[in-house]
Structure formats: structure tokens, C-alpha cells
């Protein structure tokens, strides 16, 4: 069975495979020691197809992982949304989750902001404030025609050292579309607009592009 791989992963897979092959040549069966690591590298960059659920008002999970306890927090200041707190949903991705990120809903990218930072464990709340991050502000039109802002943020973790985001300002984005990846353990935050109805539960395992986190207000 063919395993779909994200293009950002091929160079890591090739290096891991070559090192493993060299160990087999030089040390025989000792190459088996590195085989699980090589297979893990392949699995880390897997990129399965996803089918978004029906429902125009849904806000989908941008990442695979575990939903942490929702909290009210101010969105990243670099997005220019002011000091008003919003409900923040945080998804923690461990090193065994699929790490390809997907757009949570249809909209237009109005602002992108990268900020360097620290590398605290992504499961900690302070990671949202202090860690390296890429923030996205998405303008979304509700079924009634009103425009709302949805924010989602890629956050580096304890061993993550590379955030990749292929979105551009002014771009129209479709829910469920791939937009980036974070290498080796990380976190995605979603800041909901006022009035959004929470659908997912604390501690729930969610899937990018498939699990509905919340619903826009009508």
C-alpha cells in the first residue's frame, strides 16, 4: 500500500534511509537498530487524504492531535486585532500524529505574521505566548453576509525547529486544504470569533480537515 508523503519530508526520509542502509552494509544486522527510527521518519511525514464534513458554518480542526482545555486569551498582537480576549482552542500534536496542517474554513488571508521565540513544551499554555509561531488572520463571510475574523497559529514545540506555511496574504483559502507543516512535535491554536458555538470537547482526539471544533454564529 502506498503511503502519501508530504513533500517537505522527502529529504529527511532519504537521509534516514541512506544512514540505515550504510549501517546494514557496515554492521550487518545492527542496521535493525536504526530501522524503527527510519520507519518513524516515514510515518511522521505521512499525508493522508481527508474528507471535510458537510456544513457551511463549521470550523474544522487545522491539525491532528489532542484538544487541550479551552481558554480565553488575546490573539497574537502582531495580527492587529486589539486586546479583546477570544476563546482559544489549542491542539497538541505529539511526534506520532500526522503533522500536515489544513485550513479550518473558507476565507481570505488578510494577514500573516511570523515571530521567533522560545521552544517550551507545546502542551504548556505559555507556549502560545512565548514560542516561535506563524499567525494567520482569515476573513470569513458568514451565511448572512457579515465578515468575521478567524485566527489560527502554528506554534513550535520542545523539539520542533521548523514551521512551514505556504499561505500568502490576499489568498483565498478553502477549508480542508493543506497549508503547512511543523516538524517534530508542536501545537496549533485557533481563536474563535465571539458567539461561536463549541462542538469539540476537552481532551478529544481531533483530525485535521475532518473534526468540527466549533460553529460560526448565525
Amino acid at each position: 500500500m502506498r503511503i502519501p508523503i508530504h513533500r517537505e519530508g522527502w529529504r529527511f526520509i532519504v537521509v534516514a534511509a541512506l544512514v540505515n542502509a550504510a549501517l546494514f552494509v557496515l554492521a550487518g544486522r545492527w542496521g535493525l537498530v536504526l530501522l524503527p527510527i527510519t520507519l518513524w521518519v516515514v510515518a511522521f511525514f505521512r499525508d493522508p487524504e481527508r474528507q471535510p464534513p458537510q456544513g457551511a458554518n463549521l470550523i474544522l480542526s487545522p491539525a491532528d492531535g489532542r484538544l487541550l482545555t479551552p481558554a480565553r486569551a488575546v490573539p497574537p498582537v502582531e495580527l492587529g486585532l486589539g486586546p479583546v480576549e477570544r476563546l482559544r482552542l489549542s491542539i497538541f500534536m505529539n511526534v506520532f500524529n500526522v503533522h500536515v496542517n489544513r485550513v479550518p474554513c473558507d476565507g481570505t488571508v488578510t494577514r500573516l505574521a511570523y515571530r521567533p521565540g522560545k521552544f517550551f513544551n507545546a502542551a504548556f499554555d505559555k507556549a502560545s505566548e512565548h514560542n516561535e509561531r506563524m499567525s494567520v488572520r482569515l476573513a470569513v463571510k458568514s451565511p448572512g453576509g457579515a465578515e468575521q475574523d478567524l485566527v489560527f497559529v502554528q506554534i513550535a514545540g520542545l523539539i520542533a525547529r521548523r514551521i512551514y506555511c505556504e499561505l500568502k496574504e490576499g489568498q483565498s483559502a478553502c477549508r480542508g486544504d493543506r497549508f503547512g507543516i511543523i516538524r517534530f512535535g508542536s501545537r496549533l491554536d485557533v481563536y474563535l470569533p465571539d458567539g461561536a458555538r463549541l462542538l469539540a470537547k476537552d481532551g478529544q482526539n481531533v483530525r485535521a480537515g475532518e473534526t468540527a471544533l466549533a460553529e460560526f454564529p448565525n
Side-chain angles (χ1 to χ4, degrees), residues 138-162:
L138 195 70
V140 182
K141 282 192 175 180
S142 68
E147 191 171 275
Q148 305 170 81
D149 286 308
L150 183 76
V151 172
F152 49 100
V153 186
Q154 295 172 294
I155 301 171
L158 183 63
I159 58 175
R161 289 296 185 272
R162 175 68 169 129

Side-chain angles (χ1 to χ4, degrees), residues 103 105-110 138-139 167-175 177-178:
V103 178
C105 60
D106 296 341
T108 301
V109 178
T110 56
L138 195 70
L167 295 173
K168 306 294 182 184
E169 289 189 3
Q171 172 184 343
S172 293
C174 297
R175 68 173 185 165
D177 283 355
R178 301 167 177 87

